[in-house]
Each structure stands twice: as structure tokens, then as C-alpha cells.
Amino acid sequence: MAGQGGNCLIDNDWICGEYVRTRSHELMDATLQHIGITLASVGIGLLVAFPLALAARRWRGVAGPVLGLTTVLYTVPSLAMFSLLVPVFGLSAAVVVTGLVLYSLTILVRNILAGLAAVPEEAREAARGMGYGPVRLLFGVELPLALPAVMAGVRIATVSTVSLTTVGALTGYGGLGNLIYEGLHSVFKAQVLTASVLCVLLAVVADVLLLGLQRLLTPWARKPRARRGAGKTGGAGGAGEARPVRGERKKAVA
């Protein structure tokens, strides 16, 4: 609500339509940067996590170190992670993307492994009986059946990445996080609230879109709808139950 002056910018209100109108270009640039960093981080994370998960499944001696290392990386605070990467990449977007990729590995690797482990052995045996080799078996049978678990991991990693991207404001590449940190330092209430709300909306929209993609790619995983007529023909006195007439009952007794 605007104060007595009638200008929410001057009154420094939390909710200010004038701020959104006058700073729309700035908000759009920050949002696009946020989306770009998120997409790059999750995409690269998948490219790295997939071979790691396959190696961990193939060799038991690799599974422990891979899962242990990715877990340890996830426990490193984001401020410390980005600070450790600055000497390597400098103050650039690569610092933020690399840190977010490392954070996503623990989620993606575990979900890929869980999805592949849940594939029924009967499906593998049937595919081998049809002449499927290891590569065709992986991409033609195992991965499609593992998609629900894999997509669940991608959704978690994406939402987490949207949140952690804001910390990249320390290097100047934090998307909406840049506006949040600047607003906090200058006590610009409308900027802090607007950027925060946009960040939450990004996470929600990303999760909904990925859920829709998951349902599109895995139609067999949907629960079948019950038929409208189910249950109407069964049971005593049902509408579809044939009842013998009196004459037929007498014949049966005779």
C-alpha cells in the first residue's frame, strides 16, 4: 500500500506496482540470467551424472567413492564452494555454474541409480532374448523404465538450483539474487520482495513443466481410469444381473 505521499517508490513500500513498471527491463534481464544459469547447471549436471551412475552400477568398487564424494560436495556451504572456485575460474558465470553442477550430482546420480535398479529383471531378460545388446538394452529398455525416478531427481535438482543461483550474486552472476542482495543493502523493499517472488515463481513453474514432461514421456506410469460401468454389473441385485423368471425356476427344480 502506498503511504501518504501517494508514491510507493518514495514511501519505500514492499508492494509497489510502479517499481515493476519502471524496472521491468531490469527484472527481465535478471530473470533470463537466472533461467540461463539454471538450465546450464542442470543440463551439465545430467551429462556428468549419467556416466558416473553407469560406472557406479557397473563396478562396485567405484560406487562407494562416487556416492561418497557427491555427498561430501553437497554438504559444502554455497559461500565456501563459490569462494573456492573463484581462484580457478575468476569472477565469472563459470563459478556459479560449476558450483551448482557439483551440488546437483548427489541428487542426479542417486536417482539414476535408483531408477535403473528398479527395472524388473524380467524386462532385461526378455530384451536379451530378443537380441538386445548392452547399449540397446540400456537406451531402449532400462532408461525408459527408469524415467520416473530420473525425472524426479531432475525436478529436485532444478528447484534446488533455482534457489542456490541467488547465492551467485556474490560474483555478480546470481540472476534475481543480484536484485535481492542489492535491495537488502540499500533497504529497497519493493526490489527485495519482487525479486524474491519471481524466484519462487520460477521454481514452481519449472517443477510444473518438468512434471508435465514426465507424464508425457511416461504414459505407462499413469494410473488407469476406472471404467464407468465397473461395479454396476456385479453383486446381488445388480442392474446387469440376469434374474430367472418363475417358470424357469420350476423347470430347474424339475
Side-chain angles (χ1 to χ4, degrees), residues 96-117:
V96 183
V97 173
T98 303
L100 295 176
V101 168
L102 295 177
Y103 281 131
S104 69
L105 291 181
T106 184
I107 301 171
L108 295 175
V109 170
R110 290 179 182 276
N111 276 70
I112 293 173
L113 283 173
L116 293 175

Side-chain angles (χ1 to χ4, degrees), residues 1 23 25 37 39 55 65 68 75 106 125 159 161 167 171 205 209 240 243:
M1 295 178 63
R23 304 290 184 89
H25 183 71
I37 291 174
L39 291 176
T75 61
T106 184
E125 292 298 331
V159 173
T161 301
V167 186
T171 64
V205 171
L209 290 177
R243 298 182 179 181

Side-chain angles (χ1 to χ4, degrees), residues 172-183:
Y173 294 92
L176 293 167
N178 293 339
L179 299 181
I180 295 174
Y181 276 77
E182 291 172 4

Side-chain angles (χ1 to χ4, degrees), residues 75-199:
T75 61
V76 177
S78 54
L79 292 176
M81 176 71 79
F82 292 157
S83 299
L84 292 172
L85 293 173
V86 167
V88 180
F89 298 100
L91 293 174
S92 64
V95 171
V96 183
V97 173
T98 303
L100 295 176
V101 168
L102 295 177
Y103 281 131
S104 69
L105 291 181
T106 184
I107 301 171
L108 295 175
V109 170
R110 290 179 182 276
N111 276 70
I112 293 173
L113 283 173
L116 293 175
V119 176
E121 189 60 33
E122 295 81 2
R124 294 191 179 96
E125 292 298 331
R128 293 190 186 101
M130 296 173 62
Y132 278 52
V135 177
R136 190 182 178 190
L137 174 64
L138 174 64
F139 290 96
V141 177
E142 292 181 316
L143 277 182
L145 293 178
L147 266 180
V150 174
M151 288 301 298
V154 172
R155 289 171 57 195
I156 297 172
T158 301
V159 173
S160 176
T161 301
V162 170
S163 174
L164 289 173
T165 297
T166 57
V167 186
L170 296 173
T171 64
Y173 294 92
L176 293 167
N178 293 339
L179 299 181
I180 295 174
Y181 276 77
E182 291 172 4
L184 288 174
H185 291 156
S186 60
V187 198
F188 193 173
K189 297 178 181 179
Q191 180 167 304
V192 172
L193 181 62
T194 304
S196 300
V197 170
L198 286 175
C199 189

